[in-house]
Amino acid sequence: MTTADTHAAEPAPKSLARARMLVGPALAAASATLSPELRRVVEYHWGWQDADGKPAAQRGGKLLRPALALLSAEAVGQPVERALAAAAALELIHDFTLLHDDVMDRDRERRGRATAWAVFGIGPALCAGDALVPLAQRVLLADESPARVAALAALADATETVIAGQALDLAFEGRCDIAVADYVRMASMKTGALLGCAASLGALLTEGPPEAVEALAEFGRSLGLAFQAVDDWLGIWGDPVRVGKPAASDLRQRKASLPIVIGAAHEGAAGTELRALLAQREPLSEREVARGVALLEATDAEARTLELARRELERALASLERGAFEPVAREALRELAVFVVARES
Amino acid sequence: MTTADTHAAEPAPKSLARARMLVGPALAAASATLSPELRRVVEYHWGWQDADGKPAAQRGGKLLRPALALLSAEAVGQPVERALAAAAALELIHDFTLLHDDVMDRDRERRGRATAWAVFGIGPALCAGDALVPLAQRVLLADESPARVAALAALADATETVIAGQALDLAFEGRCDIAVADYVRMASMKTGALLGCAASLGALLTEGPPEAVEALAEFGRSLGLAFQAVDDWLGIWGDPVRVGKPAASDLRQRKASLPIVIGAAHEGAAGTELRALLAQREPLSEREVARGVALLEATDAEARTLELARRELERALASLERGAFEPVAREALRELAVFVVARES
């Protein structure tokens, strides 16, 4: 079973390509203000430079958060250009979390390339991540909207929540006894908060009505949970080439991802065997990895992970129906949400 | 020769004790809003909790930056209470830099206690540091002053500069060919920027005249350079018990600190021998550490480090004379600056 069974694989929504076109120059302008030591790490992380500092055009992020921010302005009837600062600031915060998470998780690969810390060292990668938080703040403060301070406060709140979620995730590491509800709380902090902010920040910055901003934030929070469930599904069942990470990488690293939490909570023999595998100290052999995947399937962990993704997607789409949104933008948000949940990388 | 030769050791200025009394509750209120996983790391770092989470009252920071922020408001004739948010936000940013620097430098001890990462692990210490940046922002945004957004922008700028300075410091690591001017540029970013911000942020937040804010910022930037030179002196010649780090610890770690940069740039035989010692890959023996200290003295590195501290202190005090400041606050700023340069820990 793949996510493609649930939704036919669709071409990438135009809103992502538009975000790349519109937000790229804003990100370039922001990174040009960084010191040379920081800028090379950030632009390597974006895939704009190779490890030697030579220009490159490698696979970067999807720009999902900027795309959401731009659409959220349009959803409340505002021109997309007025949300550019929100879109760029969100991507900078997202990049901050990636640069730091890769260090904390010791992930050496992202999007099929060596992670920034693996290339430049831990210190420079941490500094680059650190720098993006005040830089995001500066990008928002430079905007002319009277709502820029409210937007700044919303982004700071979301950033704090994401960090608290990451700290909780770290506290879960190596544990086999995490309740699914605790996992969901962690994921709603770590992933839901920033997607909730992204899906509403454009509307907030362009002074959309508070009920609309809140409905968009709810849409984003639910989408964030669905997104995380799919991410966790990809961390076990994703195609290594498309995902840019080794097969079943979350199992190899014994991350407390959603399928692993569900599988480890299983009360039958498969659950017992899986817990023993997860508790093992040595790296898992290829044979053990394959056995672990089979156990996850036997405990229904795969099906329940995809079910959670589907349920949260439905919840997200229902939030979209609650506001009086511009129909074209609403449809684009719907399309983007469905794409995110059906994605294979 | 010790710094005490330059200035008689003085009792700690009252402005530091006052900062502790006034800013302590603001810091406590801020940390109470953090998630439990983050809060324990932050309060351990402050010396408020031990490693098991039991209340403690151990040696924390000096609260130099909050003390400067409070005095800067008084210097422009404003009540100290109006600068509390600035004072707390500055200390939070300072703590962010300490938590992260200790990870990057692999420092296992600070203020005579194990560093946060050595107790809780790298991930939790990084998350705790990360969380303090948006928390500082939130503390400032909650202030009622119309100048809170300007204060926020100034703090974000200083934070970015500090991070760029740290990245430059990392780039200097393991190099024996750093020009003293490049070292000074790095230190003015890494240490000068935040002290410049601290010495002016209270005045900025309480809407002091721009010329006064700028003179105070210059005072702080010069004081920051003097502070860093003294810090670097303490990193070689400081009393291990008072400093809370091993004797000559910067030499053991071969940090590019000011005396080491000066010594390594020396053209005589002592410089050559010192460079060879610094280039050695193995940890230095006690005998080699002692020889290194002797070489630093032979290359005049100690005297020139103290000379730079003295010169920057004089420059700082001259900036204080340039503004039309309240005499009592001016005197307290002078006293604090002299104390910082004469300190032995």
Side-chain angles (χ1 to χ4, degrees):
Chain A
M1 178 155 153
T2 71
T3 52
D5 295 341
T6 326
H7 306 284
E10 296 174 42
K14 289 204 183 96
S15 56
L16 290 174
R18 182 180 67 170
R20 185 165 307 279
M21 199 183 67
L22 290 177
V23 180
L27 292 175
S31 111
T33 68
L34 291 171
S35 76
E37 290 79 21
L38 297 168
R39 184 178 177 182
R40 60 197 286 252
V41 181
V42 169
E43 299 199 351
Y44 170 83
H45 167 75
W46 287 342
W48 297 6
Q49 291 190 10
D50 65 18
D52 301 321
K54 288 190 208 100
Q58 293 177 27
R59 186 170 146 207
K62 279 180 283 292
L63 298 199
L64 169 62
R65 292 153 194 82
L68 287 169
L70 297 179
L71 287 172
S72 80
E74 288 182 310
V76 296
Q78 294 299 320
V80 80
E81 288 73 20
R82 285 192 59 200
L84 270 181
L90 278 156
E91 189 64 12
L92 294 173
I93 294 295
H94 177 54
D95 289 318
F96 143 71
T97 67
L98 297 181
L99 284 162
H100 281 202
D101 287 5
D102 284 341
V103 170
M104 296 184 212
D105 299 342
R106 290 289 186 276
D107 278 334
R108 302 191 70 95
E109 262 191 77
R110 172 175 295 281
R111 300 168 194 149
R113 302 167 71 218
T115 48
W117 74 267
V119 171
F120 299 101
I122 288 179
L126 290 176
C127 285
D130 285 339
L132 297 183
V133 179
L135 183 59
Q137 205 173 326
R138 187 146 55 80
V139 164
L140 264 185
L141 277 176
D143 194 73
E144 284 170 3
S145 167
R148 69 185 189 281
V149 177
L152 197 68
L155 186 64
D157 281 352
T159 306
E160 272 197 75
T161 305
V162 170
I163 295 164
Q166 167 70 5
L168 193 56
D169 197 10
L170 292 174
F172 285 171
E173 247 177 34
R175 281 180 49 191
C176 285
D177 62 340
I178 295 155
V180 175
D182 285 333
Y183 175 89
V184 168
R185 183 168 65 91
M186 181 279 290
S188 68
M189 293 164 75
K190 186 172 164 167
T191 310
L194 197 60
L195 257 70
C197 184
S200 56
L201 200 64
L204 181 60
L205 187 64
T206 60
E207 302 171 277
E211 332 63 85
V213 171
E214 185 44 36
L216 287 166
E218 276 174 30
F219 159 75
R221 285 193 290 264
S222 299
L223 180 61
L225 269 181
F227 181 93
Q228 188 60 54
V230 172
D231 220 53
D232 286 3
W233 181 88
L234 289 168
I236 303 285
W237 291 279
D239 175 346
V241 176
R242 282 168 180 256
V243 177
K245 289 188 182 185
S249 70
D250 286 355
L251 187 63
R252 290 172 202 276
Q253 296 191 41
R254 280 163 272 196
K255 283 192 189 168
S257 78
L258 181 58
I260 293 176
V261 164
I262 293 172
H266 192 267
E267 292 182 355
T272 309
E273 190 183 341
L274 183 64
R275 284 193 296 277
L277 206 64
L278 294 169
Q280 185 182 305
R281 285 181 171 246
E282 298 78 44
L284 299 181
S285 67
E286 287 307 311
R287 200 194 165 99
E288 285 166 329
V289 169
R291 180 67 189 152
V293 173
L295 290 168
L296 287 173
E297 288 159 6
T299 55
D300 247 11
E302 182 180 22
R304 285 185 56 203
T305 297
L306 292 174
E307 187 188 306
L308 188 138
R310 217 176 290 125
R311 194 180 64 225
E312 291 299 331
L313 173 64
E314 273 162 28
R315 217 173 256 176
L317 298 180
S319 297
L320 269 192
E321 297 306 318
R322 273 214 307 288
F325 298 120
E326 290 295 317
V328 174
R330 190 205 308 262
E331 176 52 29
L333 284 167
R334 195 203 64 78
E335 181 198 27
L336 190 52
V338 169
F339 172 77
V340 156
V341 175
R343 80 202 148 99
E344 291 180 10
S345 70
Chain B
M1 179 157 153
T2 71
T3 52
D5 295 342
T6 326
H7 306 283
E10 297 174 43
K14 288 201 183 99
S15 56
L16 290 175
R18 182 180 67 169
R20 185 165 306 280
M21 199 182 68
L22 291 178
V23 180
L27 292 176
S31 112
T33 67
L34 290 172
S35 76
E37 291 77 22
L38 296 169
R39 185 178 177 182
R40 61 197 286 253
V41 181
V42 169
E43 298 199 352
Y44 170 84
H45 167 75
W46 286 341
W48 297 5
Q49 291 189 10
D50 65 18
D52 301 321
K54 289 192 206 96
Q58 292 177 28
R59 185 170 148 211
K62 280 180 283 291
L63 297 200
L64 169 61
R65 290 153 197 82
L68 287 170
L70 298 178
L71 287 172
S72 79
E74 288 184 308
V76 297
Q78 294 300 320
V80 78
E81 288 73 21
R82 286 193 56 200
L84 270 180
L90 279 156
E91 190 63 13
L92 294 172
I93 293 295
H94 178 53
D95 288 318
F96 143 70
T97 67
L98 297 181
L99 285 161
H100 281 201
D101 286 5
D102 284 342
V103 169
M104 295 184 214
D105 298 343
R106 290 289 188 275
D107 278 335
R108 302 191 71 94
E109 262 191 78
R110 170 174 298 280
R111 299 166 194 151
R113 302 168 70 219
T115 48
W117 74 266
V119 171
F120 299 101
I122 288 180
L126 290 177
C127 285
D130 284 339
L132 297 183
V133 178
L135 183 59
Q137 205 173 327
R138 187 146 54 81
V139 164
L140 264 185
L141 277 177
D143 194 72
E144 285 169 2
S145 166
R148 69 186 188 281
V149 177
L152 196 70
L155 186 64
D157 280 353
T159 304
E160 271 197 75
T161 306
V162 169
I163 295 163
Q166 168 69 5
L168 193 56
D169 198 8
L170 292 174
F172 285 172
E173 248 178 31
R175 281 179 50 189
C176 285
D177 61 340
I178 296 156
V180 176
D182 285 333
Y183 175 89
V184 168
R185 182 167 65 92
M186 181 278 289
S188 68
M189 293 164 76
K190 184 173 166 168
T191 311
L194 197 60
L195 258 72
C197 183
S200 56
L201 200 65
L204 181 61
L205 188 64
T206 60
E207 301 171 278
E211 330 65 83
V213 171
E214 184 45 34
L216 287 164
E218 275 174 28
F219 159 76
R221 285 193 290 265
S222 298
L223 180 61
L225 268 182
F227 180 94
Q228 187 60 54
V230 171
D231 220 54
D232 286 3
W233 181 88
L234 289 167
I236 304 285
W237 292 279
D239 176 346
V241 176
R242 284 167 178 256
V243 177
K245 288 189 183 182
S249 71
D250 286 355
L251 188 62
R252 289 174 202 276
Q253 295 193 41
R254 279 161 273 196
K255 282 191 188 169
S257 78
L258 181 57
I260 292 175
V261 165
I262 294 172
H266 191 267
E267 291 182 354
T272 309
E273 190 182 341
L274 183 65
R275 283 193 296 277
L277 206 64
L278 293 169
Q280 187 183 302
R281 284 183 171 244
E282 299 77 45
L284 299 181
S285 67
E286 286 308 312
R287 198 194 167 96
E288 286 166 328
V289 169
R291 180 65 189 152
V293 173
L295 290 169
L296 287 173
E297 287 159 6
T299 56
D300 246 11
E302 182 179 24
R304 286 184 56 200
T305 297
L306 293 173
E307 187 188 307
L308 187 138
R310 216 175 291 124
R311 194 180 64 223
E312 291 299 331
L313 174 63
E314 272 162 30
R315 219 173 253 177
L317 299 179
S319 297
L320 270 192
E321 296 307 318
R322 272 215 307 287
F325 298 120
E326 289 296 316
V328 174
R330 190 206 307 263
E331 177 52 27
L333 284 167
R334 196 202 63 77
E335 182 198 26
L336 189 53
V338 168
F339 172 77
V340 156
V341 176
R343 80 202 149 97
E344 291 182 9
S345 70

